[in-house]
Amino acid sequence: MATKTVSKPAKKKTTVKKSNGVAKPEFSKEQYLKWYEDMLVMRKIEEKAGQLYIQQKFGGFCHLYIGQEAVVAGTMSACEPGDKHITAYRDHAHPIGLGIHPKYMMAELYGKTTGMSKGKGGSMHMFHKDVNLMGGHGIVGAQIPMGAGIAFAEKYNETGNVCFCSFGDGAARQGALHETFNMAMMWSLPVVFIIENNNYAMGTSIARTTNVEDLADIGKSYHMKSETVDGMSVEAVHHAIADAAEYCRKGKGPVLLNIETYRYKGHSMSDPQKYRTKEEVEQYKAVDPIQQVLNTIKENKFATDAAVKKIQDKAKGIVEESVKFAEESPLPNREELYEDVYKQEDYPFVREYK
Amino acid sequence: MKTVQFREALREAMSEEMRSDERVFLMGEEVAEYNGAYKVSQGMLDEFGPKRIIDTPIAELGFAGIGVGAAMNGLRPIVEFMTWNFAILAADQIINSAAKMLQMSGGQYGCPIVFRGGNGTAGQLAATHSQSFEAFYAHVPGLKVITPSNPYDAKGLLKAAIRDEDPVVFLESEKMYGDKGEIPENEYIVPIGIADIKRSGSDVTIVSFGKIIKEAYKAAEELSKDGIECEIIDLRTIRPIDYNTVVESVKKTNRCVVLEESWPIASISSEIAYHVQRYAFDHLDAPVQRITQSDTPFAFSPPLIEEASPNAARLIQAVKEVAYA
């Protein structure tokens, strides 16, 4: 039956603290300023990436994280240096949260040799071994068993490290998730499964794909410690991640965090977004995660207006520097196609032309 | 030298590598407490314990992916599939993850993993349990594909596969696990990517691999009685293929027949035939021929199996045709 009905709006998020009456800040001034700067850089670099994509400066797919920044920022502030990270193809913000200058991400979008994956992975495949970012994966949900496997190795080597494995609400429909949840529980693997739940698998809302609308229930069905988190609040994300990581480090097993967030942009650059209303988008922009942090900074006088402006200018400068770096970096030599396919250096590729 | 079964050769390879490298572990359905569905891992739980010999639930995609993640993060997994037919459920992790990890990460993360298990027909098991996957996986850059035909090669190649830095698809056969053969008392390696001339001959080159090569041995004995001497090349590794050994042999015999257990289209036999016509064209005295399985799913009833299966009689006929005998 054909229908023009707009999907039902996402569930209302946890109410944020209103700004009348200053709430006592939960974290240090430095932490709020760092969150603000990191999230602003994520936002601004992706806004720029979106513009450049429309200008056809680079090709491929381009899935933007705009609106979801608190999930990465809160995860990265709560993790430890030895922890591992793996995510899906909406992966531009993760390296920034881990401290990698965004110019390497931008160069990857441009397919340049200076990119995070030497221009061989593109938008969907951001890797950086120095900060244990193990992708960027393009097949929906494929990183779920891989994330459990990464955690398996940490447990095997008794490191005490945790793997943070992120995926969208759409990936929660894959069979790989259910197989993995079962084994991760059987083997008490130190993995935090993070659903970056923006309520839409491309254009299909959660309500249109399942009867189990509270995604935390999926974990509970495997007796996994599971909770739902306000993903528009970086503090809430940080707390949830810190608690989950501690639970894993104690050897108690995996945790599922259903982090409810929202993407302001379409699934990809070609998404007309007919599945949701403008009002719904505005509803979330009203609780924008970056604005929330800025409000806290201002209410607590953590920074003067001039100091805030300085951060904004810095973010702008980083974006400009990143684009310049990407545009001026060299494209790969064609022969590089035959490198990084095998570790074996003299692998005899079948080559009919040279 | 000592005589061992194929399954024992595989077990020795895994056990030796596990003794020398703490990073190596084995996971799969029934590998531990049941001692292996085909007894390949018999006794390994007792020696290495449950940390390194791991029973999995029936969840091929999930445990293959867990293996991939463990390999990315520094371990050396051996993932056993009860048969490669079931590994179709894990193909996403083998083809999309393992094979591409090194390139997608710009060389930062490799995937040193061995996926192994029974391949091909194994009796009256009907369509879904009787498939051969050499050509499927050989098609995929980033993988290495091995299919040994005897215990000696099986042990040496499996050890090489476990030590290899790249992901390896290792194809065995339920029908070969009981085969006996001689192997050295001491440790040895058979390098990946090198074919083996199992029988020397001057008249026709037969290229084959895996358990079906036994039909070539039978055919060669018969043909020898008629004065036709076959050279039998066992590819052993299907990716990368040792084309050079094949081409050099054809330059000597001027004739080539490929014997393969799987289906004809986009097969290893078509790949070999292409290379032979491309690189030994002037040396050929007859068109390259091949004997493969029928272009149908494998059926249950004995006469249908008879009709589907490559065998020595068909190979003899093909050899005689290329030899104009």
Side-chain angles (χ1 to χ4, degrees):
Chain A
M1 186 178 78
T3 172
K4 286 192 170 178
T5 318
V6 174
S7 309
K8 91 177 185 192
K11 240 186 329 186
K12 195 169 182 305
K13 306 300 179 198
T14 314
T15 318
V16 293
K17 292 184 290 288
K18 291 284 176 274
S19 56
N20 41 355
V22 180
K24 190 177 176 335
E26 297 178 71
F27 293 88
S28 69
K29 175 177 101 173
E30 290 72 26
Q31 181 65 74
Y32 282 102
L33 291 173
K34 175 153 177 50
W35 275 333
Y36 181 63
E37 180 179 323
D38 283 358
M39 290 162 70
L40 195 63
V41 170
M42 292 172 202
R43 173 82 47 100
K44 294 298 169 193
I45 197 92
E46 283 210 299
E47 285 175 352
K48 188 68 184 177
Q51 292 165 12
L52 295 165
Y53 185 87
I54 290 164
Q55 293 167 28
Q56 297 183 314
K57 293 278 189 182
F58 53 84
F61 283 145
C62 186
H63 308 92
L64 301 178
Y65 204 70
I66 292 173
Q68 303 184 195
E69 294 90 345
V71 184
V72 159
T75 300
M76 302 319 179
S77 60
C79 71
E80 297 292 332
D83 291 341
K84 307 294 186 289
H85 305 268
I86 189 166
T87 187
Y89 45 80
R90 198 176 301 283
D91 60 351
H92 302 164
H94 298 71
I96 299 170
L98 285 164
I100 298 301
H101 194 292
K103 67 184 182 183
Y104 301 110
M105 184 276 285
M106 188 62 86
E108 188 63 31
L109 295 181
Y110 273 75
K112 300 295 183 76
T113 54
T114 54
M116 285 180 57
S117 302
K118 297 188 193 167
K120 294 179 177 181
S123 168
M124 297 191 288
H125 306 106
M126 299 291 175
F127 288 76
H128 208 300
K129 201 163 190 176
D130 292 354
V131 293
N132 301 321
L133 177 57
M134 302 175 80
H137 294 275
I139 302 295
V140 174
Q143 78 277 22
I144 299 171
M146 282 188 261
I150 291 163
F152 178 97
E154 298 296 341
K155 184 175 182 189
Y156 190 95
N157 291 327
E158 299 172 14
T159 62
N161 295 327
V162 172
C163 178
F164 295 98
C165 175
S166 306
F167 48 95
D169 47 280
R173 307 283 154 249
Q174 289 280 29
L177 174 138
H178 295 271
E179 296 185 14
T180 302
F181 277 19
N182 187 47
M183 283 181 274
M185 281 301 291
M186 281 294 297
W187 302 334
S188 297
L189 300 180
V191 52
V192 180
F193 296 110
I194 299 168
I195 306 182
E196 296 171 329
N197 178 358
N198 61 30
N199 194 47
Y200 292 100
M202 282 189 71
T204 307
S205 69
I206 286 176
R208 291 177 58 217
T209 60
T210 183
N211 291 327
V212 186
E213 293 192 47
D214 182 350
L215 300 187
D217 285 349
I218 301 173
K220 289 172 189 165
S221 72
Y222 293 93
H223 300 175
M224 189 184 296
K225 180 179 164 66
S226 306
E227 61 181 283
T228 294
V229 180
D230 173 11
M232 304 307 270
S233 161
V234 69
E235 295 114 312
V237 174
H238 180 106
H239 284 309
I241 292 286
D243 291 350
E246 189 189 351
Y247 185 84
C248 285
R249 283 187 229 286
K250 284 180 181 164
K252 292 183 175 176
V255 178
L256 172 64
L257 297 178
N258 170 34
I259 304 187
E260 293 185 327
T261 181
Y262 201 76
R263 64 168 153 76
Y264 300 169
K265 304 287 183 181
H267 163 75
S268 64
M269 299 304 291
S270 59
D271 176 2
Q273 301 177 60
K274 288 183 177 165
Y275 49 85
R276 62 185 184 184
T277 61
K278 282 186 179 145
E279 291 71 27
E280 182 184 301
V281 180
E282 291 308 315
Q283 180 193 332
Y284 286 95
K285 286 185 176 173
V287 290
D288 181 75
I290 304 178
Q291 189 62 43
Q292 284 194 54
V293 169
L294 185 58
N295 290 347
T296 304
I297 289 170
K298 287 187 172 176
E299 286 160 8
N300 292 282
K301 300 189 170 47
F302 285 160
T304 61
D305 288 352
V308 170
K309 175 77 166 45
K310 205 172 162 189
I311 293 173
Q312 292 164 345
D313 288 344
K314 185 180 172 189
K316 201 177 161 194
I318 288 171
V319 172
E320 286 168 5
E321 182 192 349
S322 298
V323 175
K324 187 169 186 288
F325 176 80
E327 293 194 339
E328 290 177 356
S329 289
L331 285 163
N333 178 307
R334 287 183 183 201
E335 276 300 307
E336 285 180 38
L337 181 62
Y338 298 95
E339 291 167 17
D340 303 324
V341 179
Y342 290 94
K343 284 267 193 182
Q344 180 187 340
E345 287 184 4
D346 59 349
Y347 182 85
F349 290 99
V350 173
R351 297 188 71 170
E352 306 289 355
Y353 55 84
K354 288 206 178 179
Chain B
M1 300 291 276
K2 60 181 177 182
T3 301
V4 296
Q5 287 187 347
F6 199 107
R7 58 165 62 84
E8 294 171 310
L10 295 171
R11 186 188 311 144
E12 282 196 11
M14 291 192 289
S15 296
E16 286 175 10
E17 293 306 302
M18 285 184 68
R19 283 175 206 129
S20 62
D21 187 345
E22 281 290 322
R23 300 171 301 171
V24 181
F25 70 95
L26 172 67
M27 74 192 313
E29 294 152 3
E30 310 289 6
V31 298
E33 296 197 7
Y34 194 84
N35 275 309
Y38 296 101
K39 306 301 171 209
V40 172
S41 57
Q42 191 158 36
M44 289 179 70
L45 175 64
D46 289 344
E47 179 175 355
F48 298 104
K51 181 186 173 186
R52 298 178 72 195
I53 307 293
I54 303 160
D55 279 327
T56 66
I58 300 172
E60 284 82 5
L61 175 60
F63 68 75
I66 287 173
V68 170
M72 288 172 74
N73 201 15
L75 299 185
R76 297 282 180 145
I78 305 168
V79 173
E80 176 175 311
F81 296 116
M82 200 175 292
T83 89
W84 277 94
N85 296 288
F86 316 150
I88 290 181
L89 291 155
D92 176 54
Q93 289 293 341
I94 300 170
I95 295 172
N96 279 323
S97 300
K100 295 167 175 66
M101 198 61 65
L102 191 65
Q103 191 204 51
M104 289 193 306
S105 67
Q108 296 179 84
Y109 287 99
C111 191
I113 188 169
V114 177
F115 299 105
R116 49 160 289 270
N119 177 60
T121 62
Q124 282 183 271
L125 302 184
T128 62
H129 282 51
S130 304
Q131 303 165 98
S132 301
F133 291 90
E134 295 88 355
F136 271 82
Y137 289 108
H139 194 56
V140 182
L143 297 178
K144 292 177 180 174
V145 181
I146 294 171
T147 189
S149 68
N150 65 31
Y152 176 90
D153 291 342
K155 180 178 176 183
L157 282 163
L158 184 54
K159 284 171 72 72
I162 295 166
R163 292 182 192 185
D164 204 89
E165 296 289 338
D166 295 307
V168 177
V169 165
F170 199 90
L171 304 160
E172 304 157 11
S173 162
E174 299 98 297
K175 284 290 198 188
M176 281 197 292
Y177 287 137
D179 287 0
K180 287 180 178 169
E182 285 200 326
I183 63 170
E185 298 283 348
N186 296 330
E187 216 176 287
Y188 66 97
I189 290 275
V190 174
I192 295 171
I194 297 175
D196 186 38
I197 299 173
K198 289 284 197 283
R199 185 185 196 279
S200 291
S202 53
D203 300 328
V204 175
T205 298
I206 297 173
V207 180
S208 191
F209 47 89
K211 81 167 189 279
I212 202 69
I213 202 169
K214 291 184 214 166
E215 296 298 311
Y217 300 152
K218 284 189 229 166
E221 288 304 306
E222 286 301 310
L223 288 158
S224 181
K225 292 174 191 165
D226 293 337
I228 299 172
E229 295 302 331
C230 295
E231 180 142 297
I232 301 176
I233 296 176
D234 182 354
L235 290 179
R236 300 197 292 193
T237 299
I238 309 299
R239 176 182 264 277
I241 292 179
D242 181 358
Y243 296 107
N244 193 47
T245 294
V246 175
V247 168
E248 288 307 311
S249 174
V250 173
K251 283 181 179 174
K252 182 177 77 178
T253 62
N254 313 114
R255 294 168 171 87
C256 182
V257 178
V258 189
L259 172 66
E260 172 170 20
E261 191 176 326
S262 194
W263 300 306
I265 293 179
S267 58
I268 302 304
S269 56
S270 35
E271 175 63 19
I272 293 294
Y274 167 77
H275 262 262
V276 168
Q277 65 82 31
R278 176 72 178 78
Y279 297 103
F281 186 75
D282 291 337
H283 298 269
L284 282 174
D285 285 345
V288 177
Q289 291 221 30
R290 65 178 174 184
I291 300 297
T292 69
Q293 198 187 110
S294 58
D295 190 20
T296 66
F298 202 74
F300 172 74
S301 187
L304 303 178
I305 290 175
E306 194 64 22
E307 173 60 19
S309 305
N311 58 34
R314 287 176 183 163
L315 181 61
I316 288 168
Q317 192 183 339
V319 168
K320 284 184 173 171
E321 282 177 24
V322 300
Y324 304 112

